[in-house]
Amino acid sequence: MKVQVERTLRRIVKMRYEDGVLKVVANCFVSNKRLREIIEQNSEWIKQRKNEASIGSEESSSRGKSVCKDDLTRRSGKPISKTKIRKNIDTQKPADRDNFSSGCNNCLSVSSGSKSHGKIESFSQLRMDLMDAKKTFVMGELVSVVSGANSKTYLDGNLLYINERFYTNRESRIKVIKSYLKKIAQLYVADEIANFGSKISLCPARIEFREIGDNWSKCYLATQRILCFDFRIAQLPAGVRKYLIVHAFAHFKNPIHDNNFWSFISRSQPSFRDSIEHLAELDFLKEIN
């Protein structure tokens, strides 16, 4: 059986059997050995999915090509145009794949076990790739940085394409990746900030994304209704981004970290303690310069 593994910063291990392939989405700090154990522990579930897929394939074959046509017309009542399928990928939002199993009966979410992610087989190599700008994170997902002929930097699946002129050395790759992350922050994280502000009826005077030393945001600017985040917030998973956003808004009414401050955060994000812990684990991203 072919197994396809996709790595993410989110603390999940999800499996889906599709087209003869077991597709796994797993936290990047879960070792290959642990993944093999998880797959083995769920062998009965996988076997059941394979049998169901086999039966479904036989039924599809008996119906002929009309199945493909029905699949294309099911949602809109008319075939999907090639224009809609081939969108300009560099303007699309890099997806947080939180809905990997949404509406899917052949998906399984399992526990990865211990939260201690340090002792893994591939972490040292992954860290080297991250430091060398051969891999990076975009909205919580691990992507490989590859050379491309296009003048634009764009994301296609799990590949981040940068122009071949800038791919040749580490400094150029890092510079291009930083520029791309700032663009993602301005396009999509700013939207998340505005949406949360609307929800609680608080509107910032200005939203900024820039490089901020050791911190992820500048809290003291909140008294001026200015929200300033490190642009690397665009690398973080959704839950951690939300914590940073909620934290910043909390300072609008509470300049110091008092009980009122933490009460606001707890009401806005009950799981904020997990996000704080996760954020501490991701501080190494700020060492990539």
Side-chain angles (χ1 to χ4, degrees):
M1 177 181 63
K2 184 178 179 181
V3 179
Q4 177 183 315
V5 179
E6 178 182 328
R7 294 293 183 169
T8 176
L9 277 175
R10 288 178 291 120
R11 289 176 171 174
I12 61 167
V13 175
K14 291 186 178 182
M15 294 188 292
R16 177 173 67 187
Y17 188 80
E18 184 177 73
D19 299 329
V21 180
L22 181 65
K23 298 182 178 182
V24 182
V25 176
N27 181 274
C28 62
F29 300 131
V30 177
S31 69
N32 293 331
K33 180 180 178 181
R34 177 60 183 142
L35 281 182
R36 286 193 290 270
E37 291 173 354
I38 291 172
I39 290 171
E40 186 176 343
Q41 290 165 4
N42 293 279
S43 57
E44 286 300 315
W45 179 88
I46 296 169
K47 183 178 179 181
Q48 184 180 354
R49 299 288 83 76
K50 288 175 70 175
N51 291 337
E52 290 175 357
S54 177
I55 294 171
S57 178
E58 291 173 2
E59 291 177 351
S60 296
S61 297
S62 67
R63 289 198 299 268
K65 294 183 178 179
S66 62
V67 174
C68 298
K69 182 179 178 182
D70 289 344
D71 194 47
L72 285 173
T73 60
R74 184 167 55 237
R75 294 189 181 183
S76 63
K78 58 184 179 180
I80 300 173
S81 69
K82 290 184 179 179
T83 303
K84 289 184 178 180
I85 294 172
R86 296 179 59 82
K87 292 180 179 178
N88 189 345
I89 202 74
D90 71 315
T91 61
Q92 289 180 339
K93 180 177 181 179
D96 288 306
R97 297 178 179 87
D98 292 324
N99 295 322
F100 182 82
S101 61
S102 178
C104 180
N105 293 325
N106 66 332
C107 302
L108 178 69
S109 299
V110 295
S111 171
S112 61
S114 172
K115 287 187 178 180
S116 178
H117 303 309
K119 300 177 181 178
I120 69 166
E121 300 164 345
S122 58
F123 180 65
S124 59
Q125 182 59 51
L126 173 61
R127 190 179 180 89
M128 285 175 60
D129 288 341
L130 288 168
M131 290 296 176
D132 198 34
K134 293 291 184 67
K135 292 183 184 294
T136 190
F137 286 102
V138 180
M139 301 293 265
E141 301 299 340
L142 180 65
V143 301
S144 296
V145 181
V146 296
S147 174
N150 200 311
S151 60
K152 291 184 178 181
T153 302
Y154 65 97
L155 188 67
D156 188 356
N158 292 324
L159 299 176
L160 181 65
Y161 287 88
I162 67 175
N163 187 272
E164 53 196 6
R165 291 181 302 155
F166 305 111
Y167 187 79
T168 52
N169 65 78
R170 177 181 180 273
E171 289 73 21
S172 295
R173 288 195 298 274
I174 289 179
K175 185 176 180 180
V176 173
I177 291 170
K178 284 183 175 182
S179 177
Y180 179 77
L181 290 173
K182 288 175 183 176
K183 176 182 175 182
I184 294 301
Q186 291 161 357
L187 283 174
Y188 303 115
V189 180
D191 256 2
E192 294 176 343
I193 295 169
N195 289 338
F196 182 76
S198 296
K199 183 179 178 181
I200 61 173
S201 300
L202 284 175
C203 181
R206 191 164 74 246
I207 301 171
E208 298 178 357
F209 298 99
R210 58 184 194 229
E211 197 155 356
I212 305 177
D214 296 330
N215 299 317
W216 287 96
S217 65
K218 287 188 174 291
C219 296
Y220 70 90
L221 291 175
T223 56
Q224 305 169 42
R225 291 291 178 100
I226 298 173
L227 295 183
C228 182
F229 298 92
D230 192 286
F231 69 88
R232 294 178 185 86
I233 190 175
Q235 291 187 283
L236 305 177
V240 181
R241 293 198 307 273
K242 182 175 180 180
Y243 166 71
L244 289 173
I245 292 168
V246 171
H247 185 113
F249 272 103
H251 279 296
F252 277 15
K253 294 184 176 181
N254 306 280
I256 61 173
H257 296 156
D258 57 13
N259 289 337
N260 290 332
F261 175 90
W262 292 112
S263 293
F264 173 85
I265 290 182
S266 182
R267 290 194 303 272
S268 302
Q269 189 186 26
S271 61
F272 76 92
R273 289 183 179 84
D274 287 338
S275 295
I276 292 175
E277 182 182 339
H278 199 179
L279 183 62
E281 295 172 352
L282 303 177
D283 267 347
F284 73 90
L285 292 173
K286 305 200 77 179
E287 299 172 15
I288 304 172
N289 284 301

